[in-house]
Amino acid sequence: MALALLRDGFKERSITQRTAVPGGTLYRLAIDHGITAPHGTVEGHRCHEAADTEPCDECSLADGRDQARKRARHRRSGSPAAAAGAARAPGSPWRTPRR
């Protein structure tokens, strides 16, 4: 069932939640059975990686977008104390100027 979901374009997370098949196993099984995810998706890129083939342009682009989203999410998830300026040392050039 997991391979049919992958072939039909479901996301890895959704497939894992529905079938309890982890991502690494999913892609190895897909390659063993000659099944690929749709091109232009992150899952398609992971199928290329599992098959040890050069990703197509569409899959490379999808993977790049996914990595950019993860980096942006990581940047936004900074600690609240640092965001409020509590972690700044007195006299630091990065201190908020007083008015």
Side-chain angles (χ1 to χ4, degrees), residues 65-78:
R65 282 192 309 261
D66 183 56
Q67 289 179 17
R69 261 188 242 111
K70 286 178 183 175
R71 285 192 300 273
R73 199 174 308 126
H74 179 74
R75 283 192 303 268
R76 286 191 305 257
S77 67

Side-chain angles (χ1 to χ4, degrees), residues 8 12 28 35-36 42-43 50 53 57-60 62 67-68 70-71 73-74 81-82 84 89:
D8 292 342
E12 177 185 328
R28 283 192 301 276
I35 294 173
T36 62
V42 173
E43 290 73 19
T53 60
D57 292 339
E58 296 89 3
C59 290
S60 292
Q67 289 179 17
K70 286 178 183 175
R71 285 192 300 273
R73 199 174 308 126
H74 179 74

Side-chain angles (χ1 to χ4, degrees), residues 2-61:
L3 296 178
L5 294 172
L6 179 68
R7 182 193 61 225
D8 292 342
F10 283 78
K11 301 285 183 197
E12 177 185 328
R13 182 176 175 172
S14 177
I15 295 169
T16 299
Q17 288 174 340
R18 291 172 184 231
T19 64
V21 176
T25 302
L26 175 66
Y27 298 113
R28 283 192 301 276
L29 284 172
I31 297 310
D32 290 345
H33 292 280
I35 294 173
T36 62
H39 288 279
T41 63
V42 173
E43 290 73 19
H45 186 271
R46 296 217 174 100
C47 283
H48 284 292
E49 287 177 335
D52 200 27
T53 60
E54 189 68 31
C56 63
D57 292 339
E58 296 89 3
C59 290
S60 292
L61 183 62

